Amino acid sequence: MSTTSYDVVVIGAGFAGIIAARDLSVQGNSVLLLEARDRVGGRTWTADGLGRQLEYGGTYVHWTQPNMWQELQRHNIPLQIPTVPTTMYWIAQGTTHSGSPEEYGAALEPLMSRFFADARAVFPQPFDITLVDTSAVETETIADRFAALDLPPYEHDLLDGAMAGLVTDYREHGVAQFLSCVATYFGSWAAFFETAGTWPIEGGTKRLVDAIMAESKAEVRLSTPVAAVEDDGVGVTVTTRAGEQIRARAAVVALPLNTLGDIAFTPDVPAAARIMIDEKNPIMGSKIWVRAKGELEPFQAVAPLGQNPINAARVEYHADGDTFIMCLCANSADIDATDVAAVQRALRDFVPDLEVLETACHDWVSDEFAKGGFMLHRPGHFTNGAAQLREAHGRIHFAGSDIAGVEAGAIEGAMDTGAHAARTITAHLRCDHAAPVGVAAGQRPASG
């Protein structure tokens, strides 16, 4: 069994992993970046579809996000100006309603304001979760908060529809992460929703991924899933599924929460983190791209859970004489993304004469290296298990949007955790005057 040695091994080449690998490698450290897929990018993926380049995973960013904006400015990459909807459609009490975005927003505003009224009180400084006692809010599900509002059916469905594209089951998601996200944006739910779903990167996420990778000096190995990570107090041993053992002074594990259970950690992670890994991220939604016939009026549509398999849809752009629509489904099992007729039926609940020509989708739920969508924590995990994983676990450091303290579930959160892991490891390596970690007999350790 061969053994090689590096200063740092980074596991996972999503945004958290590539930022960590780039930042560590340009500091002069020998870095190996391991990725289970045959590509980098993780749960962001710009690829062919519907005759164009589509974003199959994470897409939206914002100039208020410090890590993201710094990278975009650094690489001279602009944002793409979004298509502005002229009509809103929303389903409530089984009926489709329509109006201007301003009319819809006026009806939704007081409901959202009530739902998020305590966001700043619970998270007065969202970057520091230790300032207040969050134990009460961490036991609360989104369903609990809906029940406490005691809204009439129409208003309940109006609020439900506005949030349904971001959830799978209100009974499984805690409210704490949502409150933190809104508190991050000054307590404004509208500001948070804009950052979460409006502005794509011109040229796609791949353009930024490629720019970061071009700067990186890390060695990259694709199609290399990891089976185990062990910290023996002197260094870290990473074992691939193929049985190769790689030795390093430190490791960064930058993987989706739902895949961490496939890796054996020695010593095991702290108790609350282990519970979070075992209970998993409950987001099981899907994103479907639709090419509709003709140049349709720009619209946005929402539906409460259970009243349409497509819970959010929006015209993203017009091209080649047709309309390209992005759809979000709370539960991917509710609709077959490849069934053009089924997708058309769902969209015709909003726009009766809409004709779907073709669809495109990547199933992140069945994807072995994702096993679900972006993060929306279960009750109790956001300020407990995730916070534990953000702390150094000996020489093992975790990163990724799933455990981010600020902007959890977003590309910005992934970037922030990757950069933080790199800074922490760099400081530790500077203080580490030990001899190079052990390697197999006769094996010369990597310089760094």
Side-chain angles (χ1 to χ4, degrees), residues 23-356:
D23 289 0
L24 285 161
S25 66
V26 299
Q27 290 287 330
N29 300 298
S30 59
V31 179
L32 174 63
L33 176 59
L34 298 177
E35 168 55 46
R37 295 186 174 88
D38 61 0
R39 61 171 181 83
V40 298
R43 286 174 292 177
T44 62
W45 186 26
T46 311
D48 293 337
L50 309 183
R52 299 182 62 79
Q53 288 277 291
L54 301 177
E55 291 284 12
Y56 287 97
T59 302
Y60 303 107
V61 301
H62 206 264
W63 57 85
T64 56
Q65 297 170 331
N67 292 276
M68 172 57 72
W69 192 243
Q70 173 181 285
E71 294 294 335
L72 291 173
Q73 296 287 86
R74 177 176 184 158
H75 300 292
N76 196 29
I77 298 175
L79 298 181
Q80 180 179 313
I81 304 300
T83 298
V84 178
T86 56
T87 302
M88 279 293 310
Y89 298 98
W90 63 96
I91 294 176
Q93 294 183 275
T95 300
T96 299
H97 307 262
S98 65
S100 69
E102 293 75 18
E103 290 169 332
Y104 171 77
L108 184 62
E109 164 61 35
L111 307 177
M112 282 290 206
S113 294
R114 287 179 61 190
F115 190 96
F116 292 110
D118 59 340
R120 289 301 297 271
V122 175
F123 296 100
Q125 296 177 23
F127 53 85
D128 187 350
I129 62 172
T130 66
L131 294 178
V132 296
D133 181 3
T134 59
S135 57
V137 75
E138 270 285 37
T139 65
E140 187 180 1
T141 67
I142 295 176
D144 292 335
R145 182 152 292 208
F146 264 102
L149 292 177
D150 193 23
L151 298 172
Y154 175 83
E155 292 186 346
H156 180 283
D157 283 357
L158 191 66
L159 181 59
D160 185 331
M163 301 174 66
L166 299 175
V167 302
T168 292
D169 187 331
Y170 292 127
R171 298 166 297 181
E172 293 187 336
H173 301 294
V175 76
Q177 180 184 333
F178 256 169
L179 295 179
S180 171
C181 288
V182 171
T184 298
Y185 289 97
F186 337 113
S188 167
W189 66 268
F192 163 60
F193 272 61
E194 176 176 323
T195 65
T198 305
W199 295 84
I201 298 170
E202 188 173 290
T205 53
K206 184 179 186 299
R207 182 177 178 184
L208 181 55
V209 167
D210 289 346
I212 294 168
M213 292 300 294
E215 288 186 312
S216 181
K217 300 181 183 301
E219 178 186 338
V220 181
R221 296 190 200 172
L222 302 177
S223 303
T224 309
V226 167
V229 182
E230 179 181 0
D231 177 2
D232 60 14
V234 178
V236 177
T237 300
V238 175
T239 305
T240 70
R241 288 188 190 175
E244 179 185 6
Q245 290 193 330
I246 303 161
R247 198 76 171 133
R249 296 177 185 272
V252 179
V253 181
L255 300 175
L257 177 69
N258 288 358
T259 68
L260 291 181
D262 298 332
I263 297 178
F265 292 102
T266 306
D268 197 11
V269 299
R274 172 51 57 189
I275 292 171
M276 184 177 72
I277 290 171
D278 291 343
E279 292 187 354
K280 300 186 182 301
N281 169 18
I283 287 285
M284 295 293 150
S286 63
K287 177 181 182 180
I288 304 173
W289 279 97
V290 169
R291 182 170 184 158
K293 185 177 180 179
E295 295 198 2
L296 303 178
E297 174 193 25
F299 70 83
Q300 186 171 345
V302 295
L305 295 184
Q307 295 195 34
N308 191 294
I310 293 176
N311 300 99
R314 184 177 66 219
V315 171
E316 287 286 310
Y317 49 80
H318 300 101
D320 305 320
D322 291 325
T323 302
F324 291 77
I325 303 168
M326 186 277 298
C327 306
L328 297 176
C329 307
N331 191 334
S332 64
D334 288 346
I335 191 168
D336 180 355
T338 67
D339 187 339
V340 170
V343 174
Q344 179 172 279
R345 283 194 300 272
L347 286 174
R348 283 187 172 181
D349 280 353
F350 305 110
V351 184
D353 57 350
L354 185 147
E355 181 178 347
V356 175

Side-chain angles (χ1 to χ4, degrees), residues 164 190 313 383 439:
T383 61
V439 295

